[in-house]
Every structure is written in structure tokens, then in C-alpha cells.
Amino acid sequence: HGETSVLTSLVDVTESRRAEAAIRASRERFEKLFRASPQPLAISGIDDGRVIDVNDTWMKTYGYAREEILGRDFVELGVWADPQAREPIRHALRREGAVRNVECRWRRKSGEIADVLFSGERIRLDGAEVMLSTGMDITERKRAERLLRESESRFAKIFQSSPLPVVISRLEDGRYLDVNAAWTAFFGYPRAEALGATSIDLGIWTNPADRDDLVRALAQGDAVRNREVRFRKKSGEVADILISAESIELAGERCVVSLLLDITERKRAEQQLRESERRFRDFAEAAGEYVWEVDRESRFTFVSRRVEAVLGYRPEELYGRHPFDLMPPGEAERVRELLAHALALGQPLRNIEHRSLTRSGTLVWQLVSAVPIRADDGRVVGLRGTALDISERKRAEARIEELATRDPLTGLPNRLLLSDRLAQGIAGSQRSGSQLAVMFVDLDHFKAINDSLGHHVGDLLLKEVAKRLGAVVRKDDTLARLGGDEFVVVLEGLRSPEDAAQVAQKILNSLAHPYQVEGHDLRTAASVGIALYPSDGEDPATLMRHADTAMYAAKSGGRRNYRFFSAEMNARAVERGRLEAALRRATTDGELRLFYQPRVDVATGRVTGAEALLRWRHPEQGLIGPDRFLRVAEETGLVVQIGEWVLDTAARQAKAWAAAGWRIPVAVNVSGRQFAPGLGESVAATLAATGLEPALLEVELTEAALMRDPELARAVLAGLAAQGVRVVVDDFGTGYASMHSLRRFSVSSVKIHRSLVATLEAGSEDQTVVRAILEMARSLGVDAIAVGVETEAQLALLAAMGCREYMGHHFLAPVPAAELERRLLAGTNVATIASRRSPG
């Protein structure tokens, strides 16, 4: 064809151009990030390790210029402080393509070693595989961590070795994270028990509100310093604590470190000091002490404010005055001489007592002590001292002296003052040749009033008696109270015994009138014994003893009278003293015995009971009946002890008989002294101790004892009846009580007086009386028992009158328990009927 043609081939390079542009853009972004990165970055060959590039941060961190690094190996440069550490990293890169956060050590250009956190990764750059690495400088962080570890170590050492208790707890829930050894030693909780618990769990806070205040302050960021609280230890002991606490960060949590200081002893010491100071202030206040100074002329130059409370003067009112200007005549002269003597000789004054006049004109006692005031050259220029108000003490001493010589109830002289007055009276009678009388006055039946109405009423009665006695005796005579209901009168200047007799009769008449005491209409009388000087004794002890003997004779003679001492009376008193001593010995040596007399059914002859009767088996005189020693026992009070023994012994015997099958009640006599409000309790205690059924015990008391104080009797007998104990009235029919009056009392039986039975003959008046007693007893539902039946004829008459029970020698005299068993028991467990047949 001969034409020239052009073959054109078109290739679309749009995507290629776009890719190249993207690569350039990516490269530019990488370049910017690489240069601007705050982390030290480096690009190096994988195989030869030569540096291709580093960013500015790397150069700044490690001190090299870029031209010093490029093309060189980090090992060659000496960057790796330990070149061997790099090899594991290179192997890891070849194998895995990346390493992360490997700690190593690099050397800066300055030679300083830096801690580095190395990370590297294989990347493609410009078609070649290279390593992009960062060497983050963690030197400061490592240093901080090391310092932190060191700090924590130091804290742990301080924490554990601290002598003070320290506890670390979480602020949020208060749980204990750690406690030191001092804390466990102080509180007593093992560490394992404390950890994880709270102070509330352990009960440490005595006042939980204190804990709430502490937590509130710490939560607000406030530290707590030296706050006083009270903690309770595991033992329960409470301690005073000074707590300091502060909130800290610990392992990412807000915690509280609390330091405790035990101030218990300090608080106790402070309290003791405060108490000591308060005691001192109180003492000084009560004592009225003040300080004073005087010059050589004894003029006040200083007085403390306390003086106003003592003397009523202000200090400035006393300056220039003398202390003795404020004293009564006589006292002033004595004190003036004492002050002048102390000033002249330069000697101290010690415990000088004197009186002073207050501003109001009253007298006060003061106790003064002083020492000399000396100038620099040693001259005495005055006195300095204290004055103590001792007015109360002086009054107390006077009161003590009064109490030592006076009866506190009546204000009368007591035995001590009486002895002194009596000795003076005897001396006066010796000089004048006159007679002197000692009179013992003893109230009759005072104990019954005291026991039934109480000691308060008894004391009021004694005061009234003292007033009446004081109105009878003369002003110069001595009236004293020895104690209890015993009074003594000493009459001086008597011309004859009749003078004493007249006074004694006046005393009896005065005391016989009724007394109105707290709504009670009381009646009492007295027995008076009189001993005369010099005929009945020449010394106080003898006269007192003989007057006492005469008083007992007056009591034995029926009371409400007086008796003079006599030789015969003295002999009886000596014998009575011997009998009392022997009786006291008998109660402890087991010489007392109980005999038993049976009570018998009139119709069948069967034994229905037994009465326990007291006997004394004297080692020399043999068996002694109660008529010889019971009065002495009553007067000395031994009857109460003896009565308790009788009650216990009889109850045990009744229990033994009941256990053997012989169930009969045993009656026990109760004396007037035993018949008191406590009788019911005594009986109840005996029943409990012996295990005896109440129905097998009977309490007997006389008709006279019953009517002495009806209200007391009714209360006591009701108490016995409530226990199931029967009450029997002995010696009935002698005139003290009527059968009608028995309606008021819880009485089961009466015993017809033996004097009525003894004269019980056909047609006699006593037969009428006995018949009347039996009929009234039946109408009241009360059993009547005849006592002292001696003959068959008496028993026949009683049976005809309808008497159901009797006692007496006709059946059997009182015998020991063993003898009673021998006569009346056929076997060990069966009661038998007496061999005697019943009359008619």
C-alpha cells in the first residue's frame, strides 16, 4: 500500500497513578507521624540492625545527632548497655514479626544508663522489610517504682515496729486491711481475727457516734489529730485513746491509717489529780483555812480572801489591826504573849487553839500555826501562818464527850458517868457523914412491849419513863440509864433509909400511870432495889451489885414494889449466880433432858398425845425439876436458847415415833419470852429441819402469856394455825381469860388447871367450875384436857362430866422417851391401849 501507518497503543494508568499517589500520601502521613511522635522511634534493618532513621524524640531522649546514628548499628554505637539482651529480641522479630514491652537498659550518649521499654515490629518501607521500634524511656517511672517500693518497705518496717497500735482500714466499709503487732497486743485480738473485720464487728467503739464523726471528717478529706475516744478491748476492759487518722490512697483504694495512743493511765492520773485538787479545795473550804502575815508589832500586813468566810471581815479591813483585837478578854492576853514570844525568839508556832470574835459577834475556834518571816540579813520581821476554823471540830469533840458519858436515847448519864458521880457522892458522904442510896429501877414486862410493838415504840416509852423519873428525883441527884430498861438513881445527903423508901414509892407511883405512845395505850410498872452507903457497901461496885440483887428480890416478890438489900438477900443472890452459871454450862454440856407424859382418852384409855417436859440432870444434885431453874432462865434470857432446843428435840422425837408407826402429837411449852412475833418462823424452821408433819406438833402457852398482849397473841396464833400446828392453852381457869375471849384466838385445846382437878370432889365449887369449862369448850368446838389426875375418883367424876382427855400420875408420871415406848408400845410399829381400863 506504500502508506506509512502509526500503531498507537493506549494503556490506562489511572489506577496506577492513583495507587502511587496513595502510597506517596501514606508515606507522607507515616513520615509526619514518625517525626511528630512523642515516643522515641527508630527504623533499622532487620538483618544488619543498621539505623535507617530516628525521630527527633529519640535523638532528644538519648542525646545523639541523626548523622551520628544513620547507617550504624545500636550495638556499635554502644546504645545497648547489655548487647546480649538484643539477641532474644531479634530472634523474636524474625520468628514472630513483633515484640512488645520488653524491659532493657540503654546508654545515653552522656554515658548515663536509662531504663527502656522496647517494642518492635517488622514493616515494609519502600519495598523493603525493616524494623520499626520504640525505646520508651521509663527511667523515671522505674525510679518512682523503686522509691515507692523502698517507701513501702520503710512504711512496713515502721508500721510493724511501731510501739503504738496502728491499723489500716478501707474508708468505704471500714474493714481492716492490716494491724501491727502493737495493735494485737493492745486489743487482744489475733491478727487473723482482725483482718477483714470492722471495728463495729469487734465492738471496739464504746460510743459508735464517735466513729461516725471520725469517718465523716475523713470522707471530707480532713485529717484527724489527737481526738479523744474510748475503746473496748477483747477482754472487755475500756481504755482512753488519743486517735490520729488520715485518708490515703493504697492500691487504688481510699484507705485510712489510724495511730492510737493509750492515755488511760494519763487520764487516770489527771482524774486523780483533779480529785486531789478538788479534795484539797473541799477540805480547805470545809476547814475555813486562810493565810495571814503580821509584822514585828503583830499587825496584819496580809490576809487572804478566805478570812471573810471565817470572820466576816474583808482583808483590807484587817490591815494594821492585831489578831488579838478580835478575841474575847483573857484569850487576847494569852495570844498576845504567844505572838510576842515567837517574834522575839524567831520560833515557829504550832497548833495554837484560840477563839475569835466574828464581825457578827459570834465566837469561832481557830487552829493557828506560823513560821518566822526573815529579812535578807536574817532578822525576824514578822510571822506568816495559817488559821483553820475548827469550830465544828470543837463542837464534835464536845459531842463525842457527851456521847461517851451520856445515853444517846434519853440523854441521861451512862454507866461511865454514873460511876464517876457515884464515886464523888461516896466521897461527899464520907465528909458529911450522911447516907447515900443507890436504887436500881427495872421496868416490868418491857420486853413484851418491845417485841410486840417494835423497838421504835419501845424507845419512845423509855424516853417517857426517863422524863417521869427525872420529875421525881431532886436536881442534885443522879439519874442514869445503864441500857435496856434499867435505870439507876443515886440519892445523896439522906438522913435515914425512909428517905430512900419515899423516893422509891414516888417512882413506883409515877411509872404506874398509863402511857400514850404513838396511839398505843401502854401500861408498865417497875421493880426497885435499894442499897445504902455505908451499911450495904463502901465502894461503887459493891453498892451497884447489892442494889441489883435487891431489885431481883423485888421482882421475885411480885414486882411493882421495892426492896432494901439484906444479908439473906445477898446469900440468895450468890446462890442464884451459881445456879445461872451451872445452867449456862448445862445448855452447852448436854445436861438437859426431855421427859414425856402421855395424854389419854378418858373413854378408851388410848394414848392420844404426849407433853414434852424439861428436866435438868445435874452432875452433883441429880434430876432437877423446872420449878428450880426456869425463873433464872427467864431472867437471864437463857430460856430462849433452851426453848429452841426443847422444840427441836421434841419434834425429832415425834418424827421418830411417827416413823415407827406411833403417830401421836407432841406438845411443847413456850415461855413468855419465846412468845414473840418470830415464834411462827422458828416453828416453821423446826418443821422443815426435822421433816415433821405440822399436825404432830402442839404449842402450849399459859393463859397469862396469852392475855398479856392479845393483839400480838392473835397474830402469832393465827400464823401457827395457818401452818397446821395446834395451839393449846395451859393452866386455864385461873382467872386471866374467859372462855368467851378464846373466840378471838386460833386455839385447839385448853388444859384445865391442876388446882381445879386436885379439889374435884363431889359437891365442891370447883366441880361446878370444871363442868362449866367443859360445857363452854364443847360449845366453842375446843377440846378440854384435865391435868393432874391422881385418883380413880377424879377420873370417874371427869368421865361423868363428859371430859374426853386427861393427864396425870394416875395413868403415868413423866418418863424418858425410851421408858414411854417400853410401857406403851407392844411392838415397834403398833400403838397399844393402856392396861388401865377406862372408868364406868
Side-chain angles (χ1 to χ4, degrees), residues 212-269:
D212 296 340
D213 292 343
L214 182 72
V215 172
R216 193 177 300 113
L218 292 169
Q220 293 172 355
D222 298 331
V224 174
R225 294 287 182 266
N226 299 327
R227 181 174 296 185
E228 287 191 15
V229 295
R230 305 197 81 198
F231 280 171
R232 184 181 290 104
K233 303 180 183 181
K234 187 174 184 178
S235 63
E237 178 188 356
V238 174
D240 291 290
I241 299 294
L242 210 59
I243 184 171
S244 295
E246 189 166 349
S247 174
I248 64 171
E249 277 293 324
L250 192 62
E253 289 187 291
R254 288 193 69 189
C255 300
V256 177
V257 177
S258 302
L259 183 71
L260 314 179
L261 176 62
D262 181 11
I263 58 170
T264 306
E265 290 302 321
R266 191 189 81 185
K267 294 285 285 186
R268 185 177 293 117

Side-chain angles (χ1 to χ4, degrees), residues 21 42 56 97 123 255 356 425 498 510 598 601 614 671 830:
D56 293 342
I123 65 171
C255 300
S356 292
E498 285 73 20
S510 175
D601 186 286
L614 184 63
S671 70
V830 182

Side-chain angles (χ1 to χ4, degrees), residues 696-714:
L696 297 182
L697 180 65
E698 295 179 349
V699 173
E700 287 193 14
L701 66 153
T702 64
E703 185 182 1
L706 182 69
M707 299 310 296
R708 184 178 299 126
D709 190 335
E711 292 304 316
L712 170 66
R714 184 164 59 179

Side-chain angles (χ1 to χ4, degrees), residues 91 105 154 158 213 232 290 317 401 416 522 597 694 703:
H91 291 311
R105 306 188 77 199
R154 286 194 298 271
I158 295 171
D213 292 343
R232 184 181 290 104
Y290 61 90
E317 295 180 283
E401 183 178 358
L416 180 64
L522 303 180
Q597 186 170 32
E703 185 182 1

Side-chain angles (χ1 to χ4, degrees), residues 547-568:
D548 186 40
T549 299
M551 183 271 293
Y552 275 107
K555 281 187 176 291
S556 301
R559 304 176 186 266
R560 302 190 182 190
N561 59 15
Y562 64 87
R563 291 288 177 87
F564 283 92
F565 176 79
S566 66
E568 178 187 356

Side-chain angles (χ1 to χ4, degrees), residues 46-62:
I46 292 177
D47 295 325
D48 57 11
R50 294 189 181 280
V51 177
I52 299 170
D53 202 357
V54 293
N55 67 355
D56 293 342
T57 305
W58 196 101
M59 291 186 291
K60 183 178 179 181
T61 302
Y62 297 106

Side-chain angles (χ1 to χ4, degrees), residues 213-454:
D213 292 343
L214 182 72
V215 172
R216 193 177 300 113
L218 292 169
Q220 293 172 355
D222 298 331
V224 174
R225 294 287 182 266
N226 299 327
R227 181 174 296 185
E228 287 191 15
V229 295
R230 305 197 81 198
F231 280 171
R232 184 181 290 104
K233 303 180 183 181
K234 187 174 184 178
S235 63
E237 178 188 356
V238 174
D240 291 290
I241 299 294
L242 210 59
I243 184 171
S244 295
E246 189 166 349
S247 174
I248 64 171
E249 277 293 324
L250 192 62
E253 289 187 291
R254 288 193 69 189
C255 300
V256 177
V257 177
S258 302
L259 183 71
L260 314 179
L261 176 62
D262 181 11
I263 58 170
T264 306
E265 290 302 321
R266 191 189 81 185
K267 294 285 285 186
R268 185 177 293 117
E270 290 174 353
Q271 179 65 22
Q272 290 174 348
L273 179 60
R274 286 193 297 271
E275 290 178 358
S276 177
E277 291 174 348
R278 184 169 62 251
R279 282 195 297 269
F280 176 78
R281 290 194 301 269
D282 293 345
F283 172 78
E285 183 74 19
E289 189 176 21
Y290 61 90
V291 179
W292 54 267
E293 293 179 5
V294 295
D295 59 16
R296 285 196 60 82
E297 283 71 39
S298 297
R299 291 188 297 261
F300 281 123
T301 58
F302 172 79
V303 188
S304 67
R305 283 286 170 191
R306 184 69 191 146
V307 69
E308 189 170 359
V310 180
L311 299 177
Y313 293 97
R314 295 191 303 276
E316 52 270 22
E317 295 180 283
L318 297 177
Y319 293 153
R321 300 182 66 178
H322 300 94
F324 35 81
D325 292 343
L326 309 176
M327 299 177 192
E331 199 87 338
E333 287 73 14
R334 180 175 69 90
V335 174
R336 180 187 289 111
E337 291 178 6
L338 288 171
L339 291 176
H341 183 76
L343 286 165
L345 300 180
Q347 294 179 342
L349 293 173
R350 291 284 184 263
N351 299 326
I352 304 301
E353 294 182 4
H354 69 78
R355 293 172 297 162
S356 292
L357 284 164
T358 68
R359 189 187 194 103
S360 62
T362 59
L363 282 172
V364 295
W365 279 94
Q366 296 188 88
L367 181 67
V368 173
S369 295
V371 294
I373 303 174
R374 296 184 182 274
D376 293 340
D377 57 5
R379 291 179 300 108
V380 175
V381 295
L383 294 172
R384 177 184 295 119
T386 61
L388 184 68
D389 184 351
I390 59 170
S391 303
E392 287 296 330
R393 194 192 82 186
K394 298 296 283 187
R395 284 191 286 269
E397 289 174 352
R399 177 60 177 159
I400 290 171
E401 183 178 358
E402 179 182 354
L403 291 174
T405 57
R406 295 280 176 173
D407 170 47
L409 179 64
T410 62
L412 298 176
N414 61 10
R415 187 183 296 272
L416 180 64
L417 184 54
L418 171 65
S419 298
D420 182 67
R421 295 266 184 94
L422 183 53
Q424 293 181 25
I426 291 173
S429 295
Q430 287 176 337
R431 291 191 297 270
S432 64
S434 61
Q435 293 188 16
L436 175 146
V438 177
M439 308 173 68
F440 256 58
V441 182
D442 188 87
L443 301 183
D444 297 331
H445 308 304
F446 172 74
K447 188 177 186 304
I449 295 173
N450 215 25
D451 290 343
S452 60
L453 300 179

